[in-house]
Amino acid sequence: MAAAARPRRSAATRAAILAAARDRFAADGYERATIRAIARDAGIDPSMVMRYYGNKAGLFAAASEIEVHAPDLTHVPRDEAAARLVRHFLERWECDETLTAMMRVGVTNEAGAERMRGVFAEQIEPVLAAVCPVPEEAPTRAALVASQILGMALCRYVLHVPPAVGLTHDEVVAWLAPTIQRYLTAEHP
Amino acid sequence: MAAAARPRRSAATRAAILAAARDRFAADGYERATIRAIARDAGIDPSMVMRYYGNKAGLFAAASEIEVHAPDLTHVPRDEAAARLVRHFLERWECDETLTAMMRVGVTNEAGAERMRGVFAEQIEPVLAAVCPVPEEAPTRAALVASQILGMALCRYVLHVPPAVGLTHDEVVAWLAPTIQRYLTAEHP
DNA sequence: GTCTATAATTCGATAGAC
DNA sequence: GTCTATCGAATTATAGAC
C-alpha cells in the first residue's frame, strides 16, 4: 500500500461529471442544464465541476466531443453507400445522446453551432468527398446529405413528430437512401 | 372628448412587444430571451409585458403564432407541386423570423416542440394529404417532406453551414424538389 | 480531492404610485 | 396605461476549510 493507498477518484469523478453533463445537455439544452443539476446527477459537489472544467462553457466543450464515426464508403458498392450511411446514423443517434445534445445546443448557442459546423467539415465532408465524382462539388453534396439526415433526426429524436417516430429503421432507410444516393452521385441538376 | 379622449396606446404597445419578442426568441431561444431585453427593445417597461401577456410562457405563445400558408397544391400540376412547395418555404423562411424562433424554441422547450407538432398536424399534413394518392400514407409522407424541408432550414438558417447558405433559391429547388416529389407521390418502397 | 459558505448577478414576477 | 421599486429565487463562480 505504498503508492496507491488512498483511492484517487478524480478519474472516476471526471467521467461521472461528463456522463451527467451529456445527459443534461441532451435533455435540457445549454441554458437550462445547470451545473448544480449535473453535479447532483453525478453525486458530487457543484464546485468539483468548476475545478475540473473551469466553467460551464468548458464543461460543454468537453461533454460535446463528437465522434460521428462515419463509415468508410470507398470500399462499399456505389449503390449501397447511401443505405449504409442512413443506417449508420440511425444507430449512431439512438445509442449516443451526445448527438441530441449537440443538436439542442447547436440551435440555441453560437458556440454549439460552430461545433456542429466543425463536425460537418471535419468528419462528414471528407468521408463523402471520397466517393464524390467531382471533388469541388463535395461540400454542396455533403450539405445536402446533412440536411436530410439532420432533418430526420430533428423530427424523430428531438421534435418527436409522431409519423417520423413511428417509422422502422428499414422504412427510414428505404425512404431516405434514394435521396442520399442522388445527393451523393447524381448529376448536378 | 367624451369617449376616445386620451390616447390609448395599448394596441401599439402590444404590437411593439410582440415584434420585439419574435426578434429575441428567434435570436436567442426561449431561455436566453429575457422579458427585460424584450421590453428594452420595445421601448417600454418590463412590467408591461407581464400585464399584457401574463407571464413568459404566455408571451411566447402569442409571439409564436405561426401561419405557414402552405400553398394549395390541388390545382397545381402534379409534377410541379414539389418545386412550388420548396420555393414557398424558402421565401416564407426568409421573410419571417418567427419560423426560426419556432425552431430554436421547439428544439429546447417541450411547449415549443408541441407547437411545432401542432403546426405540422394542422397546416402541413392536410395540405399534403390533398395530393396524396393513398390517404392513410399521408402522415408518413408529410413527415418525410417535413424532415427534408426542416433539415435544409436548420442547416441554412440556424446552423449556417456554409455550403447550405451558399446555395441559390434555384439550386435548392433543383436539388430538393425531386426528393419532395418522391416523398409525395412515389410508390411506397 | 472534496465540500461549505457565500459573493455577485440576473431573472421572473408583484405591489402600488401616478 | 405606464412606470418605479423591489422581492424571492436561481444561477455561475470564487475563497477557503478539512
Side-chain angles (χ1 to χ4, degrees):
Chain A
M1 280 195 189
R6 183 149 146 284
R8 307 175 131 254
R9 301 215 0 265
S10 78
T13 299
R14 288 186 72 104
I17 292 173
L18 266 197
R22 274 191 260 266
D23 282 2
R24 283 287 176 179
F25 283 130
D28 299 336
Y30 187 83
E31 323 297 338
R32 260 179 20 214
T34 67
I35 290 184
R36 290 164 136 85
I38 290 167
R40 197 181 325 127
D41 290 354
I44 50 94
D45 191 88
S47 62
M48 297 302 298
V49 178
M50 307 302 295
R51 178 177 178 86
Y52 285 131
Y53 297 100
N55 54 32
K56 189 175 177 179
L59 173 61
F60 172 70
S64 63
E65 299 257 326
I66 298 279
E67 288 297 330
V68 161
H69 294 124
D72 178 14
L73 298 175
T74 55
H75 295 89
V76 176
R78 176 160 286 198
D79 60 346
E80 292 175 18
R84 177 78 61 99
L85 212 53
V86 174
R87 200 171 294 275
H88 172 82
F89 278 105
L90 279 176
E91 290 163 0
R92 193 77 188 74
W93 217 283
E94 285 171 18
C95 80
D96 184 359
E97 63 194 344
T98 310
L99 296 181
T100 299
M102 186 181 63
M103 173 103 75
R104 281 225 159 83
V105 177
V107 166
T108 44
N109 188 280
E110 176 50 29
E114 175 57 30
R115 181 161 284 263
M116 286 194 79
R117 288 191 294 267
V119 170
F120 172 79
E122 291 154 24
Q123 302 185 41
I124 308 291
E125 249 190 48
V127 170
L128 302 191
V131 294
C132 187
V134 186
E136 53 266 30
E137 289 176 3
T140 296
R141 291 177 183 272
L144 289 162
V145 170
S147 79
Q148 176 60 96
I149 287 179
L150 286 180
M152 177 54 77
L154 176 69
C155 291
R156 191 176 161 92
Y157 302 121
V158 179
L159 298 180
H160 298 115
V161 177
V165 175
L167 294 169
T168 66
H169 280 206
D170 287 344
E171 286 174 325
V172 174
V173 171
W175 277 112
L176 259 54
T179 298
I180 306 295
Q181 189 73 44
R182 190 167 58 80
Y183 292 160
L184 277 180
T185 57
E187 194 177 345
H188 194 302
Chain B
M1 279 200 190
R6 182 149 145 282
R8 306 173 134 255
R9 299 212 4 262
S10 78
T13 299
R14 289 185 72 104
I17 293 173
L18 267 196
R22 273 192 261 267
D23 283 1
R24 283 287 176 178
F25 283 129
D28 299 336
Y30 186 82
E31 324 294 339
R32 258 179 23 215
T34 66
I35 289 184
R36 290 164 138 87
I38 291 168
R40 197 180 327 126
D41 290 354
I44 49 95
D45 192 87
S47 62
M48 297 301 299
V49 178
M50 308 301 296
R51 177 175 178 84
Y52 284 131
Y53 296 98
N55 54 31
K56 190 176 176 178
L59 173 62
F60 171 70
S64 63
E65 299 257 328
I66 299 279
E67 287 296 331
V68 162
H69 295 123
D72 179 14
L73 299 176
T74 55
H75 296 87
V76 176
R78 176 159 288 197
D79 60 345
E80 293 176 18
R84 177 77 62 98
L85 212 52
V86 174
R87 199 171 294 277
H88 172 80
F89 278 105
L90 279 177
E91 290 163 0
R92 193 76 187 73
W93 216 283
E94 285 170 18
C95 81
D96 184 359
E97 63 193 344
T98 309
L99 296 181
T100 299
M102 186 181 64
M103 173 102 75
R104 282 224 159 84
V105 177
V107 167
T108 45
N109 186 280
E110 175 51 28
E114 174 57 30
R115 181 162 286 263
M116 286 195 79
R117 288 193 292 268
V119 170
F120 171 80
E122 292 154 23
Q123 301 186 42
I124 308 292
E125 249 191 49
V127 170
L128 302 191
V131 295
C132 186
V134 185
E136 53 265 32
E137 289 177 3
T140 295
R141 292 176 183 274
L144 289 162
V145 170
S147 79
Q148 176 60 95
I149 288 180
L150 287 180
M152 177 54 77
L154 176 69
C155 291
R156 193 175 158 93
Y157 302 121
V158 179
L159 298 179
H160 296 115
V161 176
V165 175
L167 295 169
T168 66
H169 279 206
D170 286 343
E171 286 173 324
V172 175
V173 171
W175 279 111
L176 259 52
T179 298
I180 306 296
Q181 189 73 44
R182 191 167 59 80
Y183 292 160
L184 277 180
T185 56
E187 195 175 345
H188 192 301

